[in-house]
Amino acid sequence: MSSHDTAVSDDALAVLFTDAHTARSFRDEPAPIEQVRRAYDNARWAPTALNSQPMRLDLLASPEARQRLAPLMAGMNQEPVLGAPLVLIVSADLALDQSMRELGASEQMLERLAGSLEMRQGLARDSALIQLGYLVLALRAEGLDVGVMTGADLPGIDAEFHADRPWQTIAVVCVGHGDADAFHPRAGRHDFDAVSQVL
Ligand SMILES: Cc1cc2nc3c(=O)[nH]c(=O)nc-3n(C[C@H](O)[C@H](O)[C@H](O)COP(=O)(O)O)c2cc1C
């Protein structure tokens, strides 16, 4: 138990938060898909609007798949994608109403969603971003280093990887074990008082 009486240990808080750091280059060591599966099994408990769970994943496990992605990344983001043992394309599924039916969503809500692309887009994107945040934490809990990147031609990624499905890319995540050059100096963070008001 933490000295501050938190529900998880100080060691766990360090892995998830205080020591966790964006990785940009990786050791030649695999990031097993089994670990991503376990991370997903934890991350899926994230809250999502109407329990919509719109996040979808492409796992680029082969060098060939990562080579297809690299030209669609901004210049400085190409090396991480080519050097990581595993890269995830994280998307929001705009056909989320179909998968929500499987989980027992009300027909009335599904009809409203089916009739409004704008509503589906907003819902899918908001909730997929929350799921992405949880996934990052869950991958870190597995002992993996991650680097989230949005510096990319996101519509181009959809054209290359999602031509057959309505998945809208929201981010690319490099996964692996950071090497000696992986981490930039820690950037500052705002204090609580600077970002909050108590009313
Ligand atoms: C939504 C999002 C987009 C990001 N895009 C990029 C990116 O395109 N390239 C990059 O090198 N880092 C990217 N980052 C990483 C951030 O720059 C990094 O998390 C931030 O500077 C804090 O550094 P730290 O995670 O090491 O503490 C992104 C992070 C997030 C959450």
Side-chain angles (χ1 to χ4, degrees), residues 2 7 9 23 51 78 96 105 111 120 123 133 150 158 174:
S2 146
S9 70
N51 199 25
Q78 292 183 2
L96 76 175
E111 258 170 50
R120 285 204 308 281
L123 200 81
T150 53
D158 289 334
C174 294

Side-chain angles (χ1 to χ4, degrees), residues 8-192:
V8 295
S9 70
D10 283 343
D11 287 348
L13 291 173
V15 168
L16 296 177
F17 300 108
T18 46
D19 287 351
H21 213 334
T22 293
R24 292 187 173 83
S25 54
F26 296 88
R27 294 200 300 271
D28 186 13
E29 186 181 331
I33 286 178
E34 205 40 50
Q35 276 189 290
V36 179
R37 181 186 295 277
R38 276 204 306 260
Y40 175 78
D41 283 349
N42 285 324
R44 69 183 167 154
W45 300 107
T48 56
L50 302 170
N51 199 25
S52 52
Q53 303 174 56
M55 184 183 74
R56 302 291 181 267
L57 303 172
D58 298 286
L59 282 74
L60 309 189
S62 68
E64 294 75 24
R66 296 190 291 275
Q67 273 155 16
R68 278 171 64 200
L69 176 64
L72 298 161
M73 302 301 296
M76 61 183 263
N77 290 337
Q78 292 183 2
E79 228 176 271
V81 158
L82 291 171
L86 183 65
V87 175
L88 312 180
I89 300 173
V90 181
S91 307
D93 186 0
L94 300 189
L96 76 175
D97 47 323
Q98 288 165 26
S99 63
M100 285 170 70
R101 177 169 282 113
E102 288 163 26
L103 295 177
S106 82
E107 281 305 321
Q108 197 188 4
M109 181 49 68
L110 293 173
E111 258 170 50
R112 276 185 65 197
L113 280 171
S116 169
L117 176 63
E118 198 185 340
M119 193 176 167
R120 285 204 308 281
Q121 264 170 337
L123 200 81
R125 197 180 158 76
D126 287 351
S127 289
L129 284 167
I130 289 174
Q131 289 183 284
L132 167 62
Y134 271 64
L135 182 66
V136 166
L137 288 175
L139 290 166
R140 287 173 168 166
E142 287 291 325
L144 293 162
D145 292 313
V146 304
V148 178
M149 297 186 296
T150 53
D153 173 5
L154 302 180
I157 294 175
D158 289 334
E160 176 69 21
F161 291 91
H162 303 147
D164 62 341
R165 60 192 68 200
W167 292 8
Q168 213 168 65
T169 301
I170 57 170
V172 169
V173 182
C174 294
V175 183
H177 299 274
D179 68 12
D181 301 321
F183 307 102
H184 292 179
R186 177 61 105 186
R189 293 295 196 270
H190 297 301
D191 291 329
F192 178 73

